């Protein structure tokens, strides 16, 4: 694809991104230990693990980003403290993200929240600003709120993927549905929008996590945007190497084209 705004984040059409915005999203005590609470530790992992990109909130980017790995700045965010329907509002302008060196901006939409209209409208403006600045607009699309019963069902994840396409995202980050065939329907619903599997909480075993990533890649995903399953791992570079093998060495698949609705 020519003029692909995601090209800074791709190796032969595939990608592994390192996410480190959980300090805002979850608070330090939930996810961090003495080692990974230090942003420098994660920046070193991004470089040492040859990640295609690192995802940061602006405050961490301002203090720690050194230009060695392509940058995605999350331009909205929320803490885990409020109860009720989720809403995440813009906290960084596209202009500022670009001034920090970002080649992409990230924005979370809680699809199904009673505040979804605010996030849809805000992402709509941000996508246009990002494209005017020549950077990618990447949508985290997480169905969430009292109207969402099961946030990883085939129907809801493919709906999230389709929303990304219709809003003009250059890439989407969605949750894994649990199996290759159902995820391939989400990839197909995205119709060419680069689709990233979201890592999620640290899996019970390496095997469990690796098999999810295998399923997503076999389903036609571009790659993985992962945080906790790497920087909470005892040997983060070892698990990264295993992830890289799956993402970059798996053959191209046509599974997505086979996944018609049942
Ligand atoms: P993980 O791989 O750690 O799940 O990171 C992916 C991510 O989307 C982060 O960018 C974000 O901080 C976090 O998950 C949000 O998690 P939650 O599902 O709790 O909203």
């Amino acid at each position: 694809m020519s003029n692909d705004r995601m090209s800074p984040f791709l190796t032969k059409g595939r990608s592994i991104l390192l996410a480190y915005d959980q300090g805002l999203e979850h608070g330090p005590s939930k996810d961090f230990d003495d080692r990974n609470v230090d942003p420098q530790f994660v920046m070193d992992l991004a470089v040492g693990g040859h990640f295609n990109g690192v995802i940061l909130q602006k405050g961490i980017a301002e203090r720690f980003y050194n230009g060695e790995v392509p940058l995605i700045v999350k331009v909205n965010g929320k803490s885990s403290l409020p109860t009720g329907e989720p809403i995440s509002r813009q906290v960084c302008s596209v202009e500022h993200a670009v001034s920090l060196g970002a080649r992409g901006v990230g924005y979370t939409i809680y699809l199904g929240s009673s505040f979804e209209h605010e996030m849809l409208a805000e992402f709509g403006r941000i996508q246009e600003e990002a494209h005017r600045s020549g950077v990618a607009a990447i949508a985290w699309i997480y169905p969430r709120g009292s109207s969402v019963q099961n946030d990883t069902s085939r129907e809801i994840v493919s709906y999230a993927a389709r929303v990304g396409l219709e809003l003009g995202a250059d890439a989407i980050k969605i949750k894994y549905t649990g199996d290759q065939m159902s995820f391939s329907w989400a990839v197909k619903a995205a119709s060419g929008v680069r689709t990233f599997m979201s890592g999620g909480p640290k899996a019970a075993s390496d095997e469990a996590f690796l098999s999810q990533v295998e399923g997503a890649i076999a389903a036609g995903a571009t790659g993985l945007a992962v945080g906790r399953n790497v920087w909470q791992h005892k040997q983060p570079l070892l698990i990264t190497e295993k992830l890289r093998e799956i993402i970059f060495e798996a053959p191209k698949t046509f599974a997505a084209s086979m996944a018609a609705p049942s």
Side-chain angles (χ1 to χ4, degrees), residues 189-239:
S191 295
V193 175
R194 302 213 181 257
T195 301
F196 288 78
M197 175 189 142
S198 174
K202 180 92 168 45
S205 68
D206 287 358
E207 292 67 32
F209 186 57
L210 294 170
S211 85
Q212 289 176 23
V213 177
E214 265 167 9
I217 295 296
T222 295
L224 174 70
V226 61
R228 290 165 283 180
N229 276 286
V230 164
W231 46 252
Q232 287 181 349
H233 199 281
K234 284 199 181 84
Q235 296 177 284
L237 291 178
L238 185 68
I239 191 73

Side-chain angles (χ1 to χ4, degrees), residues 14 180 184 187 214-221 250-258:
R14 296 253 173 92
Q180 176 189 332
S184 68
V187 173
E214 265 167 9
I217 295 296
K252 297 273 181 212
T253 175
F254 296 99
S257 64
M258 298 170 0

Side-chain angles (χ1 to χ4, degrees), residues 39 90 137 158 211 240 245:
Q90 185 169 10
S158 58
S211 85
T240 300
E245 271 171 37

Side-chain angles (χ1 to χ4, degrees), residues 27-61:
S29 307
K30 180 145 187 262
D31 291 338
F32 297 158
D33 59 19
D34 279 347
R35 188 181 64 154
N36 58 35
V37 73
D38 179 1
Q40 192 58 53
F41 172 75
V42 175
M43 291 310 302
D44 291 345
L45 278 183
V47 177
H50 305 287
F51 280 82
N52 292 99
V54 63
I55 300 159
L56 305 172
Q57 284 283 353
K58 69 173 178 181
I60 303 237

Side-chain angles (χ1 to χ4, degrees), residues 1-240:
M1 197 190 302
S2 61
N3 197 21
D4 185 349
R5 295 180 200 90
M6 286 301 289
S7 59
F9 304 106
L10 299 173
T11 303
K12 293 185 181 161
R14 296 253 173 92
S15 182
I16 180 167
L17 304 173
L18 189 61
Y20 189 61
D21 59 337
Q22 292 83 352
L24 173 60
E25 296 292 324
H26 303 150
S29 307
K30 180 145 187 262
D31 291 338
F32 297 158
D33 59 19
D34 279 347
R35 188 181 64 154
N36 58 35
V37 73
D38 179 1
Q40 192 58 53
F41 172 75
V42 175
M43 291 310 302
D44 291 345
L45 278 183
V47 177
H50 305 287
F51 280 82
N52 292 99
V54 63
I55 300 159
L56 305 172
Q57 284 283 353
K58 69 173 178 181
I60 303 237
E62 285 165 357
R63 286 173 186 270
F64 293 91
Y65 182 62
N66 58 14
E68 289 191 58
V69 172
L71 175 66
I72 296 164
V73 170
K74 271 301 292 295
V75 294
N76 71 334
K78 68 163 189 54
S79 82
S80 62
L81 299 177
T83 54
E85 290 290 290
I87 176 161
S88 181
R89 293 298 304 262
Q90 185 169 10
V91 294
C92 176
S93 67
V94 172
E95 187 185 11
H96 186 57
V98 170
S99 79
L100 292 170
R103 307 293 302 275
V105 293
Y107 187 99
T108 302
I109 298 167
Y110 294 112
L111 197 66
S113 163
S114 56
F115 298 115
E116 71 163 22
H117 58 287
E118 298 197 29
M119 292 170 277
L120 293 172
E122 203 161 68
F123 180 75
R125 286 193 296 275
I126 284 165
Q127 182 260 11
E128 292 171 16
E129 282 170 34
H131 289 183
R132 276 197 295 275
S133 301
V135 302
I138 303 164
W140 282 223
I141 311 189
Y142 293 164
R144 197 164 295 181
S146 56
S147 68
V148 176
Q149 309 302 322
N150 176 0
D151 68 349
T152 57
S153 73
R154 178 180 185 273
E155 286 64 37
I156 201 82
V157 176
S158 58
Y159 199 164
R162 192 68 179 193
V163 167
L165 168 70
E166 306 231 1
L167 292 180
D170 297 286
I172 53 171
K173 185 175 172 192
I174 54 176
K175 297 206 174 198
Y176 190 52
T177 51
D179 67 90
Q180 176 189 332
M181 195 47 75
S182 56
F183 200 73
S184 68
W185 178 238
V187 173
K188 189 161 190 188
S191 295
V193 175
R194 302 213 181 257
T195 301
F196 288 78
M197 175 189 142
S198 174
K202 180 92 168 45
S205 68
D206 287 358
E207 292 67 32
F209 186 57
L210 294 170
S211 85
Q212 289 176 23
V213 177
E214 265 167 9
I217 295 296
T222 295
L224 174 70
V226 61
R228 290 165 283 180
N229 276 286
V230 164
W231 46 252
Q232 287 181 349
H233 199 281
K234 284 199 181 84
Q235 296 177 284
L237 291 178
L238 185 68
I239 191 73
T240 300

